[in-house]
Amino acid sequence: MSAPRPITVLGGTGPEGFGLALRWTLAGETVIIGSRDGRRAQDAAEKIKQRVGANAKTYGNENVAACTAADLLVLTIPFEGHAALLKQLKPAIRPGSIVIDATVPLAASVGGRASRTLGIWQGSAAQQTAELVPKGISVVAAFQNVGAELLNADGPVDCDIIVCSDDPNANQIVRHLATKILGARAIDGGKLENARILEQITALLIGLNIRHKGHSGIRITGLPDAAYKPA
Amino acid sequence: MSAPRPITVLGGTGPEGFGLALRWTLAGETVIIGSRDGRRAQDAAEKIKQRVGANAKTYGNENVAACTAADLLVLTIPFEGHAALLKQLKPAIRPGSIVIDATVPLAASVGGRASRTLGIWQGSAAQQTAELVPKGISVVAAFQNVGAELLNADGPVDCDIIVCSDDPNANQIVRHLATKILGARAIDGGKLENARILEQITALLIGLNIRHKGHSGIRITGLPDAAYKPA
Protein backbone atom coordinates (compact mmCIF):
# COMPACT_ATOMS: atom_id res chain seq x y z
CA MET A 1 0.00 0.00 0.00
CA SER A 2 1.31 3.42 -0.92
CA ALA A 3 1.52 6.21 1.65
CA PRO A 4 -1.65 8.29 1.88
CA ARG A 5 -1.53 11.27 -0.44
CA PRO A 6 -3.53 14.11 1.07
CA ILE A 7 -5.93 16.13 -1.07
CA THR A 8 -6.31 19.84 -0.48
CA VAL A 9 -9.66 21.30 -1.50
CA LEU A 10 -9.26 25.05 -1.95
CA GLY A 11 -12.63 26.69 -1.52
CA GLY A 12 -13.69 23.67 0.53
CA THR A 13 -16.05 25.73 2.66
CA GLY A 14 -18.26 26.35 -0.37
CA PRO A 15 -20.93 23.75 -1.26
CA GLU A 16 -19.04 22.13 -4.18
CA GLY A 17 -15.71 21.88 -2.38
CA PHE A 18 -17.38 20.76 0.83
CA GLY A 19 -19.20 18.02 -1.06
CA LEU A 20 -16.00 16.76 -2.68
CA ALA A 21 -14.17 16.85 0.67
CA LEU A 22 -17.05 14.90 2.22
CA ARG A 23 -17.01 12.24 -0.49
CA TRP A 24 -13.24 11.76 -0.32
CA THR A 25 -13.34 11.63 3.47
CA LEU A 26 -16.03 8.95 3.22
CA ALA A 27 -13.67 7.01 0.95
CA GLY A 28 -10.93 7.13 3.59
CA GLU A 29 -8.80 9.82 1.99
CA THR A 30 -6.92 12.47 3.94
CA VAL A 31 -8.49 15.83 3.04
CA ILE A 32 -7.40 19.35 3.89
CA ILE A 33 -9.98 22.06 3.45
CA GLY A 34 -8.53 25.40 2.45
CA SER A 35 -10.27 28.75 2.93
CA ARG A 36 -9.34 32.42 3.15
CA ASP A 37 -10.38 32.10 6.78
CA GLY A 38 -8.56 29.24 8.54
CA ARG A 39 -11.20 29.16 11.26
CA ARG A 40 -14.00 28.59 8.75
CA ALA A 41 -11.93 25.84 7.13
CA GLN A 42 -11.58 24.11 10.50
CA ASP A 43 -15.31 24.45 11.12
CA ALA A 44 -16.03 22.82 7.76
CA ALA A 45 -13.63 19.97 8.58
CA GLU A 46 -15.36 19.54 11.93
CA LYS A 47 -18.75 19.29 10.20
CA ILE A 48 -17.42 16.55 7.95
CA LYS A 49 -16.01 14.68 10.95
CA GLN A 50 -19.37 14.86 12.68
CA ARG A 51 -21.02 13.41 9.60
CA VAL A 52 -18.44 10.74 8.75
CA GLY A 53 -17.27 9.69 12.21
CA ALA A 54 -14.17 9.61 14.36
CA ASN A 55 -11.98 7.97 11.71
CA ALA A 56 -12.36 10.94 9.36
CA LYS A 57 -8.99 12.33 8.34
CA THR A 58 -10.17 15.83 7.50
CA TYR A 59 -8.47 19.05 8.50
CA GLY A 60 -8.91 22.76 7.83
CA ASN A 61 -6.43 25.51 7.23
CA GLU A 62 -5.91 28.87 5.63
CA ASN A 63 -5.45 28.61 1.82
CA VAL A 64 -1.66 29.05 1.58
CA ALA A 65 -0.94 26.65 4.44
CA ALA A 66 -3.46 24.17 2.99
CA CYS A 67 -1.70 24.46 -0.36
CA THR A 68 1.72 23.60 1.05
CA ALA A 69 0.31 20.57 2.88
CA ALA A 70 -0.52 18.53 -0.22
CA ASP A 71 0.40 18.02 -3.85
CA LEU A 72 -3.12 17.23 -5.02
CA LEU A 73 -4.84 20.59 -5.10
CA VAL A 74 -8.48 20.98 -6.07
CA LEU A 75 -9.85 24.40 -7.03
CA THR A 76 -13.54 24.82 -6.20
CA ILE A 77 -13.74 28.58 -5.95
CA PRO A 78 -16.10 30.99 -7.67
CA PHE A 79 -14.59 32.20 -10.94
CA GLU A 80 -14.38 35.79 -9.71
CA GLY A 81 -11.77 34.72 -7.15
CA HIS A 82 -9.98 32.23 -9.39
CA ALA A 83 -7.05 34.17 -10.87
CA ALA A 84 -6.40 36.17 -7.70
CA LEU A 85 -6.19 33.03 -5.58
CA LEU A 86 -3.86 31.31 -8.05
CA LYS A 87 -1.52 34.30 -8.03
CA GLN A 88 -1.51 34.25 -4.23
CA LEU A 89 -0.87 30.50 -4.10
CA LYS A 90 1.75 30.34 -6.85
CA PRO A 91 4.81 30.47 -4.55
CA ALA A 92 3.23 27.88 -2.22
CA ILE A 93 2.51 25.21 -4.85
CA ARG A 94 4.93 22.32 -4.36
CA PRO A 95 6.91 21.10 -7.38
CA GLY A 96 5.26 18.08 -8.94
CA SER A 97 1.79 19.08 -7.73
CA ILE A 98 -1.35 18.39 -9.67
CA VAL A 99 -3.86 21.24 -9.80
CA ILE A 100 -7.37 19.97 -10.40
CA ASP A 101 -9.68 22.69 -11.60
CA ALA A 102 -13.41 22.34 -11.07
CA THR A 103 -14.07 26.02 -11.66
CA VAL A 104 -16.78 27.10 -14.09
CA PRO A 105 -16.68 30.66 -15.45
CA LEU A 106 -20.38 31.29 -14.95
CA ALA A 107 -21.69 34.64 -16.09
CA ALA A 108 -23.02 34.92 -12.52
CA SER A 109 -19.43 35.89 -11.62
CA VAL A 110 -20.05 39.27 -13.23
CA GLY A 111 -23.70 39.65 -12.32
CA GLY A 112 -25.09 37.55 -15.19
CA ARG A 113 -26.84 34.20 -15.24
CA ALA A 114 -25.58 30.91 -13.82
CA SER A 115 -26.92 29.23 -16.96
CA ARG A 116 -24.42 31.09 -19.15
CA THR A 117 -20.63 31.11 -19.23
CA LEU A 118 -18.17 33.89 -19.85
CA GLY A 119 -15.79 33.64 -22.78
CA ILE A 120 -12.28 33.00 -21.48
CA TRP A 121 -9.39 34.17 -23.65
CA GLN A 122 -7.44 30.93 -23.10
CA GLY A 123 -10.53 28.84 -23.92
CA SER A 124 -11.58 27.78 -20.43
CA ALA A 125 -11.03 28.50 -16.74
CA ALA A 126 -8.81 25.41 -16.56
CA GLN A 127 -6.61 26.68 -19.38
CA GLN A 128 -6.34 30.01 -17.62
CA THR A 129 -5.17 28.06 -14.59
CA ALA A 130 -2.51 26.36 -16.70
CA GLU A 131 -1.12 29.80 -17.50
CA LEU A 132 -1.11 30.89 -13.86
CA VAL A 133 0.54 27.91 -12.14
CA PRO A 134 4.35 27.49 -11.97
CA LYS A 135 6.07 25.68 -14.84
CA GLY A 136 5.97 21.90 -14.58
CA ILE A 137 2.70 21.80 -12.62
CA SER A 138 0.07 19.63 -14.27
CA VAL A 139 -3.43 21.01 -14.57
CA VAL A 140 -6.42 18.70 -14.78
CA ALA A 141 -10.02 19.75 -15.47
CA ALA A 142 -12.64 17.67 -13.68
CA PHE A 143 -15.66 17.64 -11.35
CA GLN A 144 -17.44 20.60 -13.00
CA ASN A 145 -20.48 18.48 -13.83
CA VAL A 146 -21.19 16.83 -10.50
CA GLY A 147 -23.34 19.31 -8.60
CA ALA A 148 -22.95 20.26 -4.96
CA GLU A 149 -26.42 18.94 -4.09
CA LEU A 150 -25.49 15.50 -5.41
CA LEU A 151 -22.18 15.49 -3.55
CA ASN A 152 -23.72 16.58 -0.28
CA ALA A 153 -26.61 14.10 -0.45
CA ASP A 154 -26.36 10.57 0.88
CA GLY A 155 -25.88 7.60 -1.41
CA PRO A 156 -24.30 7.24 -4.83
CA VAL A 157 -24.19 10.06 -7.35
CA ASP A 158 -25.72 9.32 -10.76
CA CYS A 159 -23.05 11.12 -12.73
CA ASP A 160 -19.94 10.53 -14.81
CA ILE A 161 -16.82 12.61 -14.32
CA ILE A 162 -14.96 13.56 -17.47
CA VAL A 163 -11.30 14.28 -16.85
CA CYS A 164 -9.18 16.40 -19.21
CA SER A 165 -5.46 17.08 -19.05
CA ASP A 166 -2.39 17.39 -21.22
CA ASP A 167 -0.60 15.10 -18.71
CA PRO A 168 -1.87 11.50 -19.11
CA ASN A 169 -0.37 10.44 -15.76
CA ALA A 170 -2.12 13.26 -13.90
CA ASN A 171 -5.32 12.43 -15.77
CA GLN A 172 -5.13 8.85 -14.52
CA ILE A 173 -4.50 9.93 -10.91
CA VAL A 174 -7.52 12.21 -11.01
CA ARG A 175 -9.70 9.51 -12.54
CA HIS A 176 -8.79 7.35 -9.54
CA LEU A 177 -9.86 10.20 -7.26
CA ALA A 178 -13.11 10.55 -9.20
CA THR A 179 -14.03 6.88 -8.80
CA LYS A 180 -13.71 7.30 -5.01
CA ILE A 181 -16.95 9.28 -5.20
CA LEU A 182 -19.63 6.64 -4.72
CA GLY A 183 -21.54 6.06 -7.96
CA ALA A 184 -19.27 8.13 -10.19
CA ARG A 185 -17.50 6.73 -13.22
CA ALA A 186 -14.43 8.48 -14.60
CA ILE A 187 -13.74 9.00 -18.29
CA ASP A 188 -10.58 10.28 -19.95
CA GLY A 189 -11.87 13.27 -21.89
CA GLY A 190 -8.60 14.05 -23.64
CA LYS A 191 -6.61 17.27 -23.63
CA LEU A 192 -7.08 20.20 -21.30
CA GLU A 193 -8.55 22.27 -24.15
CA ASN A 194 -11.72 20.16 -23.85
CA ALA A 195 -12.30 21.74 -20.43
CA ARG A 196 -14.22 24.45 -22.27
CA ILE A 197 -16.92 21.89 -23.07
CA LEU A 198 -17.06 20.52 -19.52
CA GLU A 199 -17.44 24.05 -18.18
CA GLN A 200 -20.28 24.81 -20.57
CA ILE A 201 -22.06 21.56 -19.74
CA THR A 202 -22.32 22.86 -16.17
CA ALA A 203 -24.15 25.94 -17.42
CA LEU A 204 -26.54 23.67 -19.34
CA LEU A 205 -27.14 21.50 -16.26
CA ILE A 206 -27.79 24.57 -14.11
CA GLY A 207 -30.32 25.74 -16.69
CA LEU A 208 -31.99 22.31 -16.64
CA ASN A 209 -32.09 22.37 -12.82
CA ILE A 210 -33.83 25.75 -12.85
CA ARG A 211 -36.24 24.80 -15.64
CA HIS A 212 -37.16 21.34 -14.40
CA LYS A 213 -36.51 21.66 -10.64
CA GLY A 214 -34.00 18.84 -10.35
CA HIS A 215 -30.36 18.12 -9.58
CA SER A 216 -29.10 17.04 -12.96
CA GLY A 217 -25.93 15.25 -13.94
CA ILE A 218 -24.65 13.56 -17.07
CA ARG A 219 -23.85 10.00 -18.00
CA ILE A 220 -21.90 9.11 -21.12
CA THR A 221 -23.29 6.03 -22.86
CA GLY A 222 -21.93 3.75 -25.55
CA LEU A 223 -18.25 3.46 -24.62
CA PRO A 224 -16.48 0.16 -23.91
CA ASP A 225 -16.36 -0.81 -20.20
CA ALA A 226 -12.66 -0.01 -19.97
CA ALA A 227 -13.34 3.63 -20.82
CA TYR A 228 -15.18 4.15 -17.52
CA LYS A 229 -12.38 2.92 -15.27
CA PRO A 230 -8.89 4.27 -14.70
CA ALA A 231 -6.23 1.70 -15.64
CA MET B 1 -56.23 11.50 -34.96
CA SER B 2 -54.57 14.47 -36.61
CA ALA B 3 -53.55 14.40 -40.25
CA PRO B 4 -50.02 13.07 -40.83
CA ARG B 5 -47.49 15.90 -40.84
CA PRO B 6 -44.61 14.96 -43.11
CA ILE B 7 -41.03 15.55 -42.04
CA THR B 8 -38.44 16.66 -44.58
CA VAL B 9 -34.87 15.69 -43.75
CA LEU B 10 -32.53 17.93 -45.74
CA GLY B 11 -29.22 16.19 -46.13
CA GLY B 12 -31.03 12.91 -45.61
CA THR B 13 -28.60 11.02 -47.81
CA GLY B 14 -25.83 11.61 -45.27
CA PRO B 15 -25.45 9.18 -42.36
CA GLU B 16 -27.06 11.41 -39.69
CA GLY B 17 -30.04 12.44 -41.81
CA PHE B 18 -30.49 8.93 -43.14
CA GLY B 19 -30.53 7.59 -39.58
CA LEU B 20 -33.17 10.09 -38.48
CA ALA B 21 -35.28 9.37 -41.58
CA LEU B 22 -34.98 5.65 -40.84
CA ARG B 23 -36.07 6.05 -37.21
CA TRP B 24 -39.04 8.24 -38.06
CA THR B 25 -40.07 5.89 -40.85
CA LEU B 26 -39.92 3.01 -38.37
CA ALA B 27 -42.25 5.04 -36.12
CA GLY B 28 -44.79 5.34 -38.96
CA GLU B 29 -44.06 8.95 -39.87
CA THR B 30 -44.12 10.28 -43.42
CA VAL B 31 -40.56 11.29 -44.30
CA ILE B 32 -39.19 13.13 -47.31
CA ILE B 33 -35.47 12.92 -47.88
CA GLY B 34 -33.99 15.99 -49.50
CA SER B 35 -30.69 16.10 -51.35
CA ARG B 36 -28.95 18.28 -53.92
CA ASP B 37 -29.43 15.30 -56.24
CA GLY B 38 -33.05 14.16 -56.38
CA ARG B 39 -32.02 10.75 -57.69
CA ARG B 40 -29.75 10.11 -54.69
CA ALA B 41 -32.60 11.18 -52.40
CA GLN B 42 -34.89 8.63 -54.04
CA ASP B 43 -32.24 5.94 -53.71
CA ALA B 44 -31.93 6.70 -50.00
CA ALA B 45 -35.71 6.52 -49.57
CA GLU B 46 -35.68 3.18 -51.41
CA LYS B 47 -33.04 1.82 -49.04
CA ILE B 48 -35.18 2.79 -46.07
CA LYS B 49 -38.21 1.11 -47.64
CA GLN B 50 -36.22 -2.07 -48.14
CA ARG B 51 -35.21 -2.02 -44.51
CA VAL B 52 -38.55 -1.03 -42.98
CA GLY B 53 -41.00 -2.78 -45.30
CA ALA B 54 -43.78 -2.03 -47.71
CA ASN B 55 -45.66 0.26 -45.32
CA ALA B 56 -42.80 2.75 -45.18
CA LYS B 57 -43.95 6.25 -46.13
CA THR B 58 -40.58 7.55 -47.24
CA TYR B 59 -39.88 9.56 -50.35
CA GLY B 60 -36.94 11.36 -51.90
CA ASN B 61 -36.68 14.63 -53.76
CA GLU B 62 -34.36 17.49 -54.64
CA ASN B 63 -33.83 19.88 -51.70
CA VAL B 64 -36.11 22.74 -52.80
CA ALA B 65 -38.98 20.44 -53.76
CA ALA B 66 -38.48 18.50 -50.51
CA CYS B 67 -38.63 21.76 -48.61
CA THR B 68 -41.95 22.82 -50.12
CA ALA B 69 -43.47 19.41 -49.34
CA ALA B 70 -43.43 19.74 -45.53
CA ASP B 71 -43.43 22.27 -42.73
CA LEU B 72 -41.21 20.26 -40.44
CA LEU B 73 -37.72 20.70 -41.89
CA VAL B 74 -34.67 19.02 -40.40
CA LEU B 75 -31.19 20.25 -41.33
CA THR B 76 -28.57 17.50 -41.22
CA ILE B 77 -25.98 18.93 -43.56
CA PRO B 78 -22.27 19.49 -43.04
CA PHE B 79 -21.65 22.97 -41.68
CA GLU B 80 -19.73 24.05 -44.78
CA GLY B 81 -22.95 23.78 -46.80
CA HIS B 82 -25.26 25.15 -44.11
CA ALA B 83 -25.59 28.85 -44.91
CA ALA B 84 -25.59 28.33 -48.68
CA LEU B 85 -28.39 25.78 -48.48
CA LEU B 86 -30.49 28.00 -46.22
CA LYS B 87 -30.14 30.92 -48.64
CA GLN B 88 -31.21 28.65 -51.50
CA LEU B 89 -34.18 27.27 -49.56
CA LYS B 90 -35.37 30.56 -48.09
CA PRO B 91 -38.03 31.31 -50.73
CA ALA B 92 -39.29 27.71 -50.53
CA ILE B 93 -39.85 27.54 -46.77
CA ARG B 94 -43.57 27.53 -46.09
CA PRO B 95 -44.98 30.09 -43.62
CA GLY B 96 -45.40 28.51 -40.19
CA SER B 97 -42.65 25.97 -40.78
CA ILE B 98 -40.39 24.70 -38.03
CA VAL B 99 -36.73 24.42 -38.97
CA ILE B 100 -34.97 21.84 -36.80
CA ASP B 101 -31.22 22.27 -36.88
CA ALA B 102 -28.97 19.31 -36.05
CA THR B 103 -25.92 20.91 -37.62
CA VAL B 104 -22.66 21.05 -35.67
CA PRO B 105 -20.00 23.55 -36.76
CA LEU B 106 -17.14 21.08 -36.51
CA ALA B 107 -13.68 22.40 -37.28
CA ALA B 108 -13.53 19.55 -39.79
CA SER B 109 -15.63 21.84 -42.01
CA VAL B 110 -12.52 23.94 -42.63
CA GLY B 111 -9.97 21.16 -42.56
CA GLY B 112 -9.63 20.95 -38.76
CA ARG B 113 -10.63 18.29 -36.27
CA ALA B 114 -14.07 16.79 -35.76
CA SER B 115 -13.41 16.98 -32.02
CA ARG B 116 -13.32 20.79 -32.12
CA THR B 117 -15.92 23.36 -33.09
CA LEU B 118 -15.63 26.63 -34.91
CA GLY B 119 -16.66 29.82 -33.18
CA ILE B 120 -19.87 31.10 -34.73
CA TRP B 121 -20.52 34.82 -34.54
CA GLN B 122 -24.19 34.32 -33.59
CA GLY B 123 -23.22 31.80 -30.88
CA SER B 124 -24.12 28.55 -32.65
CA ALA B 125 -25.03 27.09 -36.02
CA ALA B 126 -28.67 27.02 -34.93
CA GLN B 127 -28.61 30.73 -34.11
CA GLN B 128 -27.05 31.40 -37.50
CA THR B 129 -29.98 29.48 -38.97
CA ALA B 130 -32.39 31.72 -37.06
CA GLU B 131 -30.86 34.70 -38.88
CA LEU B 132 -31.14 33.06 -42.30
CA VAL B 133 -34.73 31.78 -42.27
CA PRO B 134 -37.69 34.00 -43.18
CA LYS B 135 -39.33 36.02 -40.39
CA GLY B 136 -41.84 34.06 -38.35
CA ILE B 137 -40.17 30.70 -38.91
CA SER B 138 -39.33 28.92 -35.65
CA VAL B 139 -35.90 27.41 -35.30
CA VAL B 140 -35.29 24.48 -32.97
CA ALA B 141 -31.89 22.98 -32.11
CA ALA B 142 -31.94 19.22 -31.52
CA PHE B 143 -30.48 15.83 -32.48
CA GLN B 144 -26.82 16.98 -32.50
CA ASN B 145 -25.88 14.48 -29.79
CA VAL B 146 -27.39 11.30 -31.18
CA GLY B 147 -24.76 9.88 -33.49
CA ALA B 148 -25.37 8.43 -36.94
CA GLU B 149 -24.07 4.99 -35.89
CA LEU B 150 -26.66 4.81 -33.10
CA LEU B 151 -29.47 5.91 -35.40
CA ASN B 152 -28.54 3.45 -38.13
CA ALA B 153 -28.13 0.49 -35.76
CA ASP B 154 -31.02 -1.74 -34.75
CA GLY B 155 -32.69 -1.43 -31.38
CA PRO B 156 -33.12 1.47 -28.99
CA VAL B 157 -30.65 4.33 -28.77
CA ASP B 158 -29.16 4.98 -25.32
CA CYS B 159 -29.29 8.75 -25.60
CA ASP B 160 -31.30 11.78 -24.51
CA ILE B 161 -32.21 14.51 -26.94
CA ILE B 162 -32.03 18.04 -25.60
CA VAL B 163 -34.27 20.45 -27.49
CA CYS B 164 -33.70 24.22 -27.50
CA SER B 165 -35.88 26.89 -29.02
CA ASP B 166 -37.24 30.36 -28.39
CA ASP B 167 -40.68 29.02 -29.43
CA PRO B 168 -42.07 26.78 -26.67
CA ASN B 169 -44.71 25.31 -28.98
CA ALA B 170 -42.14 24.33 -31.59
CA ASN B 171 -39.96 22.92 -28.82
CA GLN B 172 -42.80 20.67 -27.72
CA ILE B 173 -43.51 19.46 -31.27
CA VAL B 174 -39.85 18.57 -31.74
CA ARG B 175 -39.72 16.77 -28.39
CA HIS B 176 -42.60 14.63 -29.64
CA LEU B 177 -40.56 13.87 -32.78
CA ALA B 178 -37.56 13.01 -30.62
CA THR B 179 -39.45 10.48 -28.53
CA LYS B 180 -40.42 8.65 -31.73
CA ILE B 181 -36.79 7.52 -31.88
CA LEU B 182 -36.81 4.24 -29.96
CA GLY B 183 -34.99 4.63 -26.65
CA ALA B 184 -34.60 8.38 -26.78
CA ARG B 185 -35.93 10.70 -24.13
CA ALA B 186 -36.54 14.37 -24.93
CA ILE B 187 -35.70 17.24 -22.62
CA ASP B 188 -36.60 20.91 -22.97
CA GLY B 189 -33.19 22.57 -22.89
CA GLY B 190 -34.47 26.13 -22.91
CA LYS B 191 -33.73 28.93 -25.34
CA LEU B 192 -32.07 28.59 -28.72
CA GLU B 193 -28.92 30.24 -27.37
CA ASN B 194 -28.18 26.99 -25.51
CA ALA B 195 -27.65 25.31 -28.90
CA ARG B 196 -24.01 26.35 -28.58
CA ILE B 197 -23.62 23.88 -25.73
CA LEU B 198 -25.39 21.05 -27.58
CA GLU B 199 -23.14 21.63 -30.58
CA GLN B 200 -20.01 21.51 -28.45
CA ILE B 201 -21.14 18.33 -26.69
CA THR B 202 -21.06 16.65 -30.10
CA ALA B 203 -17.40 17.58 -30.48
CA LEU B 204 -16.73 16.09 -27.04
CA LEU B 205 -18.58 12.88 -27.94
CA ILE B 206 -16.67 12.58 -31.23
CA GLY B 207 -13.42 12.96 -29.27
CA LEU B 208 -14.56 10.24 -26.84
CA ASN B 209 -15.48 7.95 -29.75
CA ILE B 210 -12.01 8.36 -31.26
CA ARG B 211 -10.21 7.99 -27.91
CA HIS B 212 -12.20 5.04 -26.58
CA LYS B 213 -13.45 3.42 -29.80
CA GLY B 214 -17.15 3.62 -29.04
CA HIS B 215 -20.38 5.24 -30.16
CA SER B 216 -21.08 7.57 -27.29
CA GLY B 217 -24.20 9.45 -26.34
CA ILE B 218 -25.38 11.36 -23.30
CA ARG B 219 -28.06 10.82 -20.72
CA ILE B 220 -29.17 13.54 -18.34
CA THR B 221 -29.77 12.24 -14.83
CA GLY B 222 -31.50 13.70 -11.79
CA LEU B 223 -34.51 15.43 -13.33
CA PRO B 224 -38.14 14.67 -12.41
CA ASP B 225 -39.87 12.14 -14.67
CA ALA B 226 -41.98 14.82 -16.32
CA ALA B 227 -38.86 16.55 -17.64
CA TYR B 228 -38.11 13.62 -19.95
CA LYS B 229 -41.50 13.59 -21.69
CA PRO B 230 -43.18 16.18 -23.86
CA ALA B 231 -46.50 17.31 -22.34
Side-chain angles (χ1 to χ4, degrees):
Chain A
M1 228 179 95
S2 59
R5 192 173 181 179
I7 308 159
T8 281
V9 181
L10 297 152
T13 55
E16 179 79 11
F18 186 88
L20 286 169
L22 171 66
R23 292 289 179 159
W24 284 321
T25 300
L26 283 165
E29 298 294 311
T30 300
V31 180
I32 300 146
I33 288 178
S35 172
R36 256 182 304 190
D37 180 345
R39 169 68 54 189
R40 285 190 59 218
Q42 285 163 21
D43 288 350
E46 202 49 52
K47 263 191 219 164
I48 288 180
K49 279 183 182 170
Q50 281 168 18
R51 190 152 159 193
V52 175
N55 292 329
K57 300 189 286 287
T58 311
Y59 310 92
N61 215 328
E62 179 277 328
N63 276 327
V64 175
C67 181
T68 58
D71 67 356
L72 291 172
L73 307 173
V74 187
L75 298 174
T76 61
I77 47 173
F79 183 67
E80 59 268 33
H82 186 255
L85 178 65
L86 279 166
K87 285 172 191 167
Q88 187 200 349
L89 293 179
K90 191 171 179 179
I93 298 176
R94 287 154 51 171
S97 289
I98 296 173
V99 173
I100 303 156
D101 200 347
T103 309
V104 179
L106 298 176
S109 295
V110 294
R113 295 187 189 173
S115 56
R116 288 175 172 168
T117 56
L118 300 171
I120 305 298
W121 192 273
Q122 295 89 340
S124 59
Q127 288 167 286
Q128 178 175 291
T129 296
E131 270 195 13
L132 293 171
V133 295
K135 269 199 179 174
I137 299 298
S138 292
V139 174
V140 180
F143 306 113
Q144 297 93 339
N145 303 328
V146 50
E149 296 80 5
L150 297 176
L151 291 170
N152 287 291
D154 293 316
V157 301
D158 189 3
C159 194
D160 288 336
I161 291 164
I162 303 171
V163 180
C164 296
S165 179
D166 296 338
D167 177 346
N169 181 50
N171 187 309
Q172 194 182 25
I173 289 168
V174 175
R175 278 182 285 139
H176 274 284
L177 274 187
T179 56
K180 289 180 186 290
I181 298 170
L182 190 67
R185 301 183 303 182
I187 300 170
D188 180 353
K191 299 242 181 204
L192 192 66
E193 63 177 41
N194 290 338
R196 75 194 69 194
I197 310 180
L198 306 187
E199 294 173 8
Q200 293 204 44
I201 288 172
T202 303
L204 179 71
L205 296 177
I206 290 172
L208 292 177
N209 289 348
I210 295 168
R211 178 168 294 273
H212 300 290
K213 304 191 197 319
H215 299 304
S216 60
I218 59 160
R219 289 284 196 191
I220 302 292
T221 61
L223 297 179
D225 286 350
Y228 298 102
K229 288 171 205 154
Chain B
M1 230 180 93
S2 57
R5 190 172 182 181
I7 309 159
T8 282
V9 181
L10 297 152
T13 56
E16 179 79 11
F18 186 88
L20 286 169
L22 172 66
R23 293 289 180 160
W24 284 321
T25 300
L26 282 165
E29 298 294 312
T30 300
V31 180
I32 300 146
I33 288 178
S35 172
R36 256 182 304 188
D37 180 346
R39 169 69 54 189
R40 285 191 59 218
Q42 284 163 21
D43 289 348
E46 202 49 52
K47 264 192 219 165
I48 288 180
K49 280 183 181 170
Q50 282 166 19
R51 190 153 159 192
V52 176
N55 292 329
K57 299 189 285 287
T58 312
Y59 310 92
N61 216 329
E62 181 276 327
N63 276 328
V64 174
C67 181
T68 57
D71 65 357
L72 291 172
L73 307 172
V74 187
L75 297 175
T76 62
I77 46 171
F79 182 66
E80 59 269 31
H82 185 255
L85 179 64
L86 279 166
K87 285 172 192 167
Q88 187 200 349
L89 292 180
K90 192 171 178 179
I93 298 176
R94 285 155 53 171
S97 289
I98 296 173
V99 173
I100 303 156
D101 200 348
T103 309
V104 179
L106 298 177
S109 295
V110 294
R113 295 187 189 172
S115 55
R116 288 175 172 166
T117 56
L118 300 171
I120 305 298
W121 191 272
Q122 296 88 340
S124 60
Q127 287 167 287
Q128 178 175 289
T129 296
E131 270 195 15
L132 292 171
V133 296
K135 269 199 178 174
I137 299 298
S138 292
V139 174
V140 180
F143 306 113
Q144 298 93 339
N145 303 329
V146 52
E149 296 81 6
L150 297 176
L151 290 171
N152 287 292
D154 292 315
V157 301
D158 189 2
C159 193
D160 288 336
I161 291 162
I162 303 171
V163 179
C164 297
S165 178
D166 295 338
D167 176 346
N169 182 48
N171 188 309
Q172 195 182 24
I173 288 167
V174 175
R175 279 183 283 137
H176 274 283
L177 275 186
T179 56
K180 289 181 185 290
I181 298 170
L182 190 67
R185 301 183 303 182
I187 300 169
D188 179 353
K191 297 241 183 206
L192 192 66
E193 63 178 40
N194 291 337
R196 74 193 71 194
I197 310 180
L198 307 187
E199 293 173 10
Q200 294 205 43
I201 288 172
T202 303
L204 179 71
L205 296 177
I206 290 172
L208 293 176
N209 289 347
I210 294 168
R211 178 168 295 272
H212 300 290
K213 304 191 199 317
H215 299 304
S216 61
I218 59 160
R219 289 286 196 190
I220 301 293
T221 60
L223 297 179
D225 285 349
Y228 298 102
K229 288 172 206 154

